[in-house]
Amino acid sequence: MKNINLLVIALTIVSFAKAQHTVSGSSVTNNPQLSVNLAVLDNVSRSAADEFIDQAERYEQDGDFDNAAAMLSKAANEYQQDKKFASYGTTLIRLSNIHLLLSNYSEAEQIVLKRVLKNYSKIGSRVGQMSAYQQLGKIYFAANKLPQSLWFYTQQGILAQQLKDNHAYIESVLGIVSVKIKKKDYQLATRDLNTIELLSKNAKTVQYNQLIKQNRALIAERTIIKKS
């Protein structure tokens, strides 16, 4: 259930130019000078933050989360200096998630509480705030702070309903289900799963079906153990 949000930097001018198969009647691949110019433009358009993100992704793929965290921290600082606050917030959540994977719960928590929420409040992004609440739900769940986890998943759900974001709402209820299962509130967790199943059908999405099945199986297993 741990998701790492991938940051995609769209280079519109370069992408548009590369998408053209011909320029002035000549193929791009057959025009060495144009190819060189595009390569230079592409290189110049990339910021230091983009390079740090690329390095972080390579470290993540290699399982080197400490260095990945270092690169994401540098990228976040660059985005902040460039006043790219949306990218700054996304990168911070990703950095928080790396610390979550490293079981650095306090560090993961402080990044969201002190930096992410402040950033999204500053730019007035309710979607960003909702993502921050979801991240805090995950962090507190992993740290076994269940009342806090339940509260933040609930706040995520409230915002999701206000924003009419069905997927985010379903994910918030799935987070609540995980908390209730851990608290051994199996009956309440089952009711929430029934709600999710109905919402998924109404939204005509199947992407949560596997998670629903896994949680039902987990409840059944825990119920049998409890009775034995």
Side-chain angles (χ1 to χ4, degrees):
M1 295 178 68
K2 297 174 181 176
N3 298 314
I4 299 176
N5 299 314
L6 297 179
L7 181 62
V8 179
I9 307 298
L11 303 175
T12 308
I13 297 176
V14 177
S15 297
F16 178 78
K18 288 183 176 179
Q20 309 307 306
H21 294 295
T22 60
V23 176
S24 299
S26 300
S27 170
V28 170
T29 55
N30 293 329
N31 190 331
Q33 185 59 52
L34 181 57
S35 297
V36 170
N37 290 342
L38 286 175
V40 171
L41 178 60
D42 190 21
N43 187 55
V44 170
S45 299
R46 292 184 61 76
S47 68
D50 300 333
E51 297 297 333
F52 288 137
I53 290 292
D54 286 347
Q55 291 180 52
E57 288 178 353
R58 287 193 287 271
Y59 281 128
E60 283 183 52
Q61 291 170 2
D62 293 338
D64 187 347
F65 296 123
D66 286 317
N67 277 318
M71 291 301 105
L72 287 172
S73 182
K74 290 182 178 181
N77 290 336
E78 290 290 335
Y79 284 133
Q80 185 180 33
Q81 290 176 15
D82 293 341
K83 297 183 178 181
K84 296 180 178 179
F85 297 118
S87 296
Y88 172 64
T90 304
T91 304
L92 285 177
I93 287 182
R94 186 170 174 181
L95 175 60
S96 170
N97 204 57
I98 291 292
H99 282 292
L100 178 58
L101 292 173
L102 290 168
S103 299
N104 296 335
Y105 304 132
S106 180
E107 182 68 23
E109 172 193 18
Q110 292 307 306
I111 288 170
V112 182
L113 288 176
K114 293 185 176 180
R115 300 173 68 185
V116 176
L117 284 173
K118 181 179 179 180
N119 174 68
Y120 284 133
S121 176
K122 179 179 179 179
I123 64 176
S125 174
R126 299 175 75 196
V127 173
Q129 186 179 7
M130 183 173 64
S131 297
Y133 286 157
Q134 180 180 34
Q135 183 67 10
L136 286 167
K138 292 178 183 179
I139 293 167
Y140 288 125
F141 179 79
N144 205 34
K145 295 181 178 180
L146 302 184
Q148 294 93 324
S149 178
L150 184 62
W151 192 86
F152 278 107
Y153 277 132
T154 301
Q155 297 311 303
Q156 177 198 357
I158 291 171
L159 267 181
Q161 287 181 307
Q162 292 174 355
L163 295 169
K164 302 186 186 305
D165 188 332
N166 291 329
H167 289 280
Y169 181 69
I170 290 171
E171 288 168 9
S172 74
V173 180
L174 278 169
I176 290 171
V177 166
S178 65
V179 173
K180 289 180 178 178
I181 291 175
K182 204 165 187 178
K183 291 176 65 178
K184 300 181 180 180
D185 294 335
Y186 303 127
Q187 188 174 0
L188 293 176
T190 299
R191 289 179 184 175
D192 286 338
L193 284 174
N194 292 339
T195 299
I196 294 170
E197 197 164 40
L198 181 60
L199 288 170
S200 296
K201 288 180 180 178
N202 290 339
K204 296 181 181 179
T205 179
V206 297
Q207 71 182 80
Y208 303 105
N209 288 358
Q210 190 59 34
L211 285 172
I212 293 170
K213 289 179 181 178
Q214 289 174 356
N215 278 290
R216 287 195 188 283
L218 184 58
I219 290 171
E221 179 186 331
R222 298 284 177 84
T223 303
I224 291 172
I225 292 173
K226 186 177 180 180
K227 290 179 178 179
S228 61

